[in-house]
Amino acid sequence: MNNILEVRDLNKSYDTFSLKDVSFEIPQGYIMGFIGPNGAGKTTTIKSILNMIHYQSGEVKLLGMDSKDKAALINEQIGVVVDSPLYVEDWTMSDVELAVSPFYRHWDSEKYAELLKRFGIEKKKKVKELSRGMKVKIQIAVALSHEAKLLILDEPTSGLDPVARDELCDILADFVIDENKSVLFSTHITADLEKIADYITFILNGRIVFSGSKENLLEKYVLVKGGQREINSEQRKLIIGLREYGTGFEGIAEAKSIVRFPKNLLIEPVTLDEIIIYMNKGAKLHE
Amino acid sequence: MKIIVSNRSGVPIYEQIKAQIKEAIFSGELQEDDLLPSIRQLAKDLKISVITSTRAYNDLEEEGFIVSVQGKGCYVLPQNKEMARENALRKVEFGLTDAISAAKAGGITKDEVAEMLKVLYKEDDYE
C-alpha cells in the first residue's frame, strides 16, 4: 500500500512546548482522524507538514516527495481547510477563483462552478456573507477544483451545527471513493470520526500516543468502573486517568489487562472522547 | 438488497453487514454472480469507514460467499446445499435453545416440550 503522507521523527521546539519525534503515515485512499486535547501539537504538526513553520529535524514526504525540495509541486496536491479561510472578506466567490487559480496548473474552472452549485453557494456571494459551514465548503470546492490528492482539515467542524457536519462527512467519504485520495482530519468532534475515519493518530503533549486503525485503538482500551474497595493498589496502577469519587472509581485500562481485575467490575467499550480525556488526565497525574 | 447498520446494538458493524449479506444469499435474494455494492460506495452510503466495509467483504470472501474480482467488484459465489442445510440447522438449534430455556424457567418438562414439538410439527405437515 502506498502512503500519501509520511511524517518521520519531526521535532520542533518552542519555549514552552515541543513536538517530539512525531511520526505517522496515511495510506492512499483512507481518512485519518487527528485527535488530541488543545495544545497537544495538532496545529503545529499540520503547519510543519505544510511547510508553514520551520522544524528542527525530521522529514515530511508527500506522495513520496520530500516536502522541502518540491514545495511548489506538493502544494498543488494538497487542499487545506481551516476554521476560517484566509480569503479577503469582500471577495466574491468569483474573486476567490481569480485569486487562487493562478497558483495551480490544473485549475478546473468548470468543476469550481459545479461544486459551488452543488454546495448551494452563489458566485456573487461575498466571503463575509458566508455561514461557517459555507466557509468550510468553499475551501473544499477550491481544493477539489485543483485536483488535490490530500485534504488536510484543521478543526473545520468546531463551529458547525450537526447538519453541516454531516454534510462535510458525506463530502469527505465521497472524496475517498477515489482510492488515490486521502484525508487528514483534525477535530475535537470525535463522533464524526467514530463513523467515517479509517485511521486515528492521537497526539498528547507533542508526542504521538497512538497511530493506527480506529478499530485497533478502540479495541486496545476499555472503560473500567467499580467501587473503591474492589481494586487493590497493584490494580490501581493499571488504570489510566483514574478518577475516584465518593461511591466508586472510573478510568480506562488496556484491554489485555482486564484479566487482572476482579470480575464484578463494570467493563465497557471506550469512545474516542473517553480515550482523550483519560489519557490526558493520566499524563497530568504523572507530571 | 437491504443493508442497514445500528450504531447502538453493540454488535460490530462489520458483523452486521456480513449477517445481512449472508441472509440475502440464503434467502435467494442474492443469486450466483450478482454484483455487490463496491466497498467504498457501501462505506459512504452507510457512513462507516472503508476499513469496516473491507473487513466485512474480506470475511465473506474467506468464508466462500463472495469473490472479489480485481477492478470489477465483488460477486456472489454459488452456494452448495450442504451449507444451506448447515445454516438451517443452526437456526433450528438457536430456536430450540430458546424454547428449552423458556421451558426450564417455567418448570415445563422435557417430555412435555417434546410432545409439543411433535404436535406442532404435525400441524405443519397437514397444511
Side-chain angles (χ1 to χ4, degrees), chain B residues 50-69:
Chain B
V50 175
I51 287 185
T52 305
S53 56
T54 305
R55 182 164 180 187
Y57 277 31
N58 282 352
D59 280 10
L60 287 169
E61 188 166 12
E62 255 172 42
E63 292 169 29
F65 288 95
I66 61 172
V67 61
S68 99
V69 182

Side-chain angles (χ1 to χ4, degrees), chain A residues 29 166 176 179 197-198 215, chain B residues 40 44 47-52:
Chain A
D166 186 58
V176 296
E179 297 173 25
D198 297 295
E215 275 78 14
Chain B
R40 283 169 185 274
K44 178 188 183 258
K47 298 188 181 188
I48 57 173
S49 79
V50 175
I51 287 185
T52 305

Side-chain angles (χ1 to χ4, degrees), chain B residues 20-86:
Chain B
Q20 289 172 77
I21 292 177
K22 277 189 199 169
E23 208 178 296
I25 291 173
F26 287 133
S27 74
E29 191 190 341
L30 277 178
Q31 301 269 339
E32 184 179 344
D33 290 338
D34 279 354
L35 180 65
L36 292 170
S38 85
I39 285 174
R40 283 169 185 274
Q41 188 63 49
L42 189 68
K44 178 188 183 258
D45 292 345
L46 298 177
K47 298 188 181 188
I48 57 173
S49 79
V50 175
I51 287 185
T52 305
S53 56
T54 305
R55 182 164 180 187
Y57 277 31
N58 282 352
D59 280 10
L60 287 169
E61 188 166 12
E62 255 172 42
E63 292 169 29
F65 288 95
I66 61 172
V67 61
S68 99
V69 182
Q70 190 70 35
K72 291 197 167 158
C74 290
Y75 295 90
V76 176
L77 283 175
Q79 291 306 309
N80 59 32
K81 291 207 171 99
E82 196 65 29
M83 209 184 259
R85 191 182 149 76
E86 279 289 315

Side-chain angles (χ1 to χ4, degrees), chain A residues 13-284:
Chain A
S13 307
Y14 293 105
D15 292 343
T16 53
F17 168 79
S18 48
L19 287 184
K20 293 166 215 104
D21 299 325
V22 167
S23 299
F24 63 93
E25 67 261 321
I26 311 179
Q28 261 180 355
Y30 292 97
I31 298 177
M32 176 178 279
F34 194 28
I35 61 171
N38 280 333
K42 298 194 294 291
T43 301
T44 308
T45 304
I46 287 175
K47 282 185 171 164
S48 302
I49 293 170
L50 297 173
N51 259 323
M52 287 163 74
I53 52 172
H54 173 77
Y55 45 92
Q56 276 93 3
S57 65
E59 188 183 43
V60 175
K61 274 191 170 174
L62 274 149
L63 299 147
M65 297 179 283
D66 191 289
S67 79
K68 280 181 171 162
D69 294 349
K70 303 257 166 78
L73 201 61
I74 282 166
N75 284 343
E76 285 201 23
Q77 317 265 14
I78 310 180
V80 182
V81 179
V82 292
D83 189 13
S84 40
L86 302 163
Y87 308 138
V88 174
E89 291 279 301
D90 273 321
W91 283 354
T92 65
M93 295 303 105
S94 306
D95 296 335
V96 169
E97 180 176 13
L98 278 177
V100 303
S101 58
F103 292 101
Y104 304 105
R105 281 181 302 165
H106 302 290
W107 183 263
D108 185 341
S109 197
E110 270 173 43
K111 187 158 191 187
Y112 181 72
E114 181 195 310
L115 285 164
L116 286 187
K117 205 169 162 192
R118 182 178 145 201
F119 295 159
I121 308 176
E122 286 171 50
K123 269 198 152 175
K124 55 178 189 281
K125 256 225 156 90
K126 286 183 177 170
V127 173
K128 63 181 172 197
E129 295 165 344
L130 298 179
S131 66
R132 276 173 167 275
M134 281 179 174
K135 279 182 178 162
V136 169
K137 284 181 187 167
I138 182 69
Q139 296 176 82
I140 290 178
V142 167
L144 301 190
S145 301
H146 68 78
E147 287 285 302
K149 297 261 177 19
L150 171 66
L151 270 186
I152 296 183
L153 300 96
D154 192 9
E155 306 274 355
T157 43
S158 47
L160 300 189
D161 67 24
V163 177
R165 273 168 36 216
D166 186 58
E167 280 172 2
L168 178 64
C169 287
D170 267 349
I171 294 167
L172 297 182
D174 215 21
F175 183 70
V176 296
I177 281 195
D178 177 340
E179 297 173 25
N180 299 313
K181 295 177 176 170
S182 307
V183 176
L184 178 66
F185 187 176
S186 141
T187 180
H188 287 308
I189 305 180
T190 55
D192 297 339
L193 295 176
E194 252 151 38
K195 283 190 272 184
I196 63 163
D198 297 295
Y199 294 92
I200 297 286
T201 292
F202 175 25
I203 189 168
L204 192 61
N205 299 329
R207 287 178 197 274
I208 302 294
V209 179
F210 175 92
S211 186
S213 86
K214 178 186 64 189
E215 275 78 14
N216 285 352
L217 176 60
L218 293 174
E219 281 165 13
K220 194 174 173 191
Y221 299 99
V222 289
L223 191 64
V224 187
K225 295 179 189 178
Q228 287 201 21
R229 284 192 210 149
E230 287 175 324
I231 48 167
N232 58 35
S233 60
E234 279 305 304
Q235 291 163 337
R236 223 165 267 258
K237 284 182 195 150
L238 296 171
I239 295 175
I240 304 162
L242 180 70
R243 182 176 85 88
E244 294 181 82
Y245 49 94
T247 55
F249 76 87
E250 61 185 25
I252 60 173
E254 287 204 26
K256 62 176 189 227
S257 71
I258 54 174
V259 286
R260 297 165 67 180
F261 289 110
K263 284 207 171 59
N264 52 342
L265 296 187
L266 178 66
I267 306 230
E268 288 181 326
V270 71
T271 62
L272 290 177
D273 264 353
E274 284 157 352
I275 290 176
I276 299 174
I277 294 165
Y278 288 106
M279 294 288 251
N280 187 42
K281 206 161 175 248
K284 281 202 178 123

